[in-house]
Structures are given as C-alpha cells and as structure tokens.
C-alpha cells in the first residue's frame, strides 16, 4: 500500500490517492482539477472505491461531484458538516472568486470508528477546530495519518473561518494526533509532510 500526493487548484490543496497493491484506491480531499486526478488514475490503472473528506471547505471539495459521477463512487464526510457542502458561506467559497456547492454526501461519519473498505482499514479520528466536522484518517498499515487542515509542518490550521474554534483545534492536536506513535507520517492538507515526533518536539503552537 502506498500514497501519492496531487496538489490541486489555486490553493494547492493536497489531494491524496491511497493505493492498494491490487490497484484499488481511495481519493482523499479532491479540491479542484478533477481532470488531473482522473489522468493520474488512468495512467496508473487505479480503480477508486470512494472519496473521503477531512472537512468540507471549498478548497477540499471542488472536484468531488465530477469524480463521483465519473467513477460512480460514494463520498463520505462528517455529519457535522453535512449542510456545508451546499452552503458557500459555511464552506467559505463566498470568500473567493467562485461559489462552490457539492451534492449531499452518500454517507456520514457520526463517531470515531474504523472504516473498512476493500483492502483499506482507516481509523476515523474526530479532530474539530479548523471546522466542526474535521476528521483525520489514520492508516496503521503504513503508519500514516491524513490530517487535513488540523496539523501542518510546524503549524496548525486556521480557526478564523466560519465554525472555527482555536481551543478545540489545539485540543484535537494535543489529545488526538500527537498521541499517535511518534514515527507516524503526517500528510497535511497543504504543504510538506512531517511526522508526529517532529511536531511533538518542534511545533511552536503545541508546546504548552
């Protein structure tokens, strides 16, 4: 099993393709440029099973509907943001040049659970703060967490958008993500990868 990162759109949001040895895959946070995602899938003969969203801000959802229609696959997100998909104020697309709306999710996460889908097992970790329905996906098999906009290299997400909560964001990082094994690879929604150990030692927002 492996991952590949596709930075997409004006915000260079990291979409991730989690790939199994049998060429099935899961798409995480396809924020824009669905044709770029499709080209990668075609080139590598990958068969997507689902789209997972760490949260529903506009820069993480822009390619969802086209990919969902092309591949006839479900999209999943947290129930706390089920009405954000169709609301440009809540998903913050009203702040940019284009209002973005997405059709309702096919399934919602309602609690922390293990998502089993084909060869994939992902722990759903609730990490609100950047947004109220923020989640992170932890794949124990490859010691990797997809942290969305909760945890970045030496930084954390913003909390000044609609529904943001700085104290909740810090709590999510300290009590959830930083409790993962120190050698866990962190794949964030923007920017470079890091590790839990590095952030435990060096993240200035999480030292107190």
């Amino acid at each position: 099993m492996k991952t590949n990162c596709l930075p997409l759109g004006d915000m260079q949001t990291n979409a991730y393709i989690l790939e199994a040895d049998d060429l099935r895959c899961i798409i995480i946070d396809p924020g824009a440029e669905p044709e770029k995602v499709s080209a990668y899938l075609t080139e590598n003969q990958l068969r997507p099973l689902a789209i997972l969203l760490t949260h529903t801000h506009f820069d993480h959802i822009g390619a969802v509907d086209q990919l969902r229609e092309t591949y006839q696959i479900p999209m999943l997100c947290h129930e706390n943001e089920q009405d954000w998909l169709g609301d440009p104020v809540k998903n913050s697309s009203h702040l940019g040049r284009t209002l973005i709306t997405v059709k309702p999710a096919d399934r919602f996460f309602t609690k922390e659970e293990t998502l089993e889908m084909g060869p994939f097992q992902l722990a759903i970790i609730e990490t609100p703060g950047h947004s109220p329905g923020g989640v992170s996906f932890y794949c124990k098999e490859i010691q990797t967490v997809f942290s969305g906009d909760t945890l970045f290299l030496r930084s954390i997400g913003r909390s000044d958008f609609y529904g943001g909560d700085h104290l909740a964001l810090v709590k999510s990082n300290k009590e959830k993500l930083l409790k993962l094994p120190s050698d866990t690879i962190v794949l964030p929604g923007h920017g470079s990868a890091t590790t839990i150990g590095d952030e435990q030692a060096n993240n200035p927002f999480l030292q107190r």
Side-chain angles (χ1 to χ4, degrees), residues 140-157:
K140 185 176 182 180
E141 181 176 344
I142 57 172
Q143 295 180 294
T144 297
V145 64
F146 302 89
S147 62
D149 288 0
T150 297
L151 179 61
F152 298 119
L153 173 64
R154 311 287 169 85
S155 187
I156 61 175

Side-chain angles (χ1 to χ4, degrees), residues 10 36 41 60 65 108 113 115 137 153 161 164 177 193 206:
D10 293 343
K36 184 174 179 179
L41 298 179
H60 291 250
D65 279 348
F108 297 107
E113 60 181 307
L115 175 67
F137 305 113
L153 173 64
F161 293 131
L177 296 186
L206 302 173

